[in-house]
Amino acid sequence: MKLIIGGYAQGKSKYGEARFPGHILYDEANFSLLYREAPGTGIRINHLHRIIREKLEAGQTEEEILRDVEGIARNHPDCVFISDEIGSGIVPMDPLDRRWREVTGRILIRIAAESDEVIRLFCGIPQVIKKELPTVRHIFLIRHGATPGNLEHRYIGRTDESLSETGRREIERHCYPICDAVFCSPMRRCRETAELIHPARIPVEVADFRETDFGRFEGHTYQELQDDPAYWHWLRTEGTIPFPDGESREEVRERVLEGWQKMLKEAADRENIALVIHGGTIMTLLSELFGGNYYDYQVRNGEGYSFDVSRDGICSGLRARSYSGGSGDMEPSGAANR
């Protein structure tokens, strides 16, 4: 839950729209429709001070209004409340105005106490008053959907393919976790997958999460490389030597880990984080973070892993995730609003 406050016409609504573009907007004009939203939906409640005023005029007590606000926060943990600061030290003559000022102040105090972030807007400039960082972050690794080259079992690294129609349909049939941050490789197949899975989130591209450069093997199948001595030599080393004219596993490791650290810094205030990346990137990252053989972490298109990262960087709780079936914390990919 987050709270955005400030004086009249200080840019609160515009800031909320820019900061939380995927959240559904409610205000005093359509507030009653909020109760039809599915739990977990990201919402922005604009003009909270006016909504409180209308509820007071309708005869609701302060306790009833507070219960209503707390119920919204429980059903929509990612909600954003936006309110004017009212009063400014002036005591109104009208009894209702006085009560409105006092009730609004007390409710804003309660919201601020429970919020993980409180932002005040002054002349359009956001001022962070409070920001709590999560003690544990939940990471969801998702391999991109299938491309034409994947379906033909080709080495597809630097080739910037789009998803195939088959790959797109498979992603749309899967269910994926609700996340408050999405990062992806800059390659088209990952960007397209991220947009299908989380249409309400703008994915942050991390260049270091791109797939391995397979060099001379790029675009070829196992069968097409049968007569290449360099390919057989590479296989005999179990892929520990560099790809001819391509990257070595150590080079990939260094940049993937650098990208991982950049991502952790960028998402310092986020709790549920999706990484839509490549199979090779997943194998590199997990073999470094959890040990074991590089090939232990092979994963099909559209599937992946999840694990937790503590505030001091300790990773735990690794488990394979099949996103082909839903659970209580998942929604079908392609859901319009999240």
Side-chain angles (χ1 to χ4, degrees):
M1 180 170 63
K2 294 173 176 59
L3 173 63
I4 301 173
I5 62 171
Y8 177 75
Q10 295 295 304
K12 300 183 297 298
S13 299
K14 186 176 181 180
Y15 173 80
E17 180 181 4
R19 173 82 184 277
F20 307 98
H23 285 48
I24 304 173
L25 178 63
Y26 290 94
D27 57 22
E28 67 274 23
N30 66 344
F31 184 75
S32 60
L33 300 178
L34 166 61
Y35 302 103
R36 302 178 187 178
E37 282 292 348
T41 304
I43 58 174
R44 297 195 324 271
I45 301 178
N46 204 10
H47 302 153
L48 177 62
H49 59 292
R50 295 183 189 172
I51 294 170
I52 294 172
R53 173 85 183 211
E54 290 187 356
K55 287 179 174 294
L56 288 172
E57 291 175 346
Q60 289 192 29
T61 66
E62 179 177 345
E63 291 74 20
E64 290 171 333
I65 298 172
L66 183 59
R67 281 200 300 271
D68 195 11
V69 169
E70 290 176 339
I72 293 170
R74 281 195 303 273
N75 287 330
H76 305 279
D78 199 22
C79 65
V80 180
F81 291 104
I82 305 174
S83 176
D84 277 8
E85 297 171 329
I86 63 171
S88 300
I90 300 173
V91 179
M93 295 290 292
D94 183 76
L96 179 59
D97 284 344
R98 289 199 300 274
R99 185 166 176 242
W100 172 49
R101 185 186 72 159
E102 294 165 1
V103 169
T104 301
R106 286 192 288 267
I107 289 176
L108 290 177
I109 288 172
R110 290 289 292 273
I111 293 174
E114 298 297 326
S115 293
D116 52 39
E117 190 172 0
V118 179
I119 306 102
R120 184 176 186 269
L121 267 290
F122 180 75
C123 294
I125 300 173
Q127 302 169 320
V128 178
I129 298 174
K130 173 186 178 183
K131 192 166 187 176
E132 294 182 356
L133 300 179
T135 56
V136 175
R137 284 171 284 183
H138 309 294
I139 308 296
F140 299 92
L141 304 182
I142 303 167
R143 186 186 175 196
H144 62 79
T147 69
N150 293 150
L151 296 175
E152 295 172 359
H153 304 290
R154 298 184 180 277
Y155 286 95
I156 301 298
R158 63 175 181 261
T159 303
D160 201 12
E161 288 191 330
S162 288
L163 298 179
S164 66
E165 283 304 312
T166 298
R168 183 176 292 271
R169 287 195 300 269
E170 287 179 347
I171 293 296
E172 290 174 340
R173 285 196 298 265
H174 283 30
C175 292
Y176 293 92
I178 302 169
C179 291
D180 50 14
V182 180
F183 292 80
C184 71
S185 157
M187 307 199 77
R188 190 177 303 164
R189 53 195 182 270
C190 291
R191 296 199 313 269
E192 291 175 353
T193 302
E195 290 165 1
L196 284 173
I197 293 173
H198 296 286
R201 299 283 181 192
I202 299 175
V204 178
E205 296 181 13
V206 180
D208 290 327
F209 283 163
R210 66 190 182 277
E211 181 58 289
T212 302
D213 182 348
F214 294 121
R216 264 180 30 209
F217 303 159
E218 181 74 26
H220 293 289
T221 65
Y222 171 84
Q223 289 78 11
E224 292 171 350
L225 294 168
Q226 289 294 301
D227 296 328
D228 188 340
Y231 184 61
W232 285 104
H233 179 54
W234 179 81
L235 287 178
R236 282 194 293 270
T237 68
E238 297 184 348
T240 57
I241 64 173
F243 289 95
D245 302 322
E247 288 185 293
S248 69
R249 191 177 295 178
E250 182 59 29
E251 288 172 328
V252 175
R253 172 187 173 276
E254 288 179 2
R255 66 169 168 79
V256 167
L257 291 179
E258 186 172 343
W260 169 251
Q261 292 301 324
K262 291 177 183 175
M263 184 281 299
L264 289 178
K265 184 177 180 180
E266 178 77 14
D269 62 340
R270 304 309 172 98
E271 185 173 357
N272 298 293
I273 305 166
L275 305 186
V276 183
I277 49 181
H278 306 272
T281 309
I282 290 174
M283 290 190 287
T284 299
L285 186 61
L286 293 184
S287 59
E288 177 65 25
L289 297 180
F290 290 94
N293 188 281
Y294 175 81
Y295 293 104
D296 290 343
Y297 302 104
Q298 293 184 78
V299 61
R300 297 193 304 271
N301 292 105
E303 304 291 2
Y305 293 85
S306 68
F307 61 93
D308 296 336
V309 183
S310 67
R311 179 52 48 192
D312 54 1
I314 297 175
C315 299
S316 63
L318 177 67
R319 64 180 177 132
R321 297 293 296 256
S322 174
Y323 299 116
S324 59
S327 70
D329 63 345
M330 295 189 182
E331 290 188 42
S333 75
N337 295 294
R338 188 174 275 101

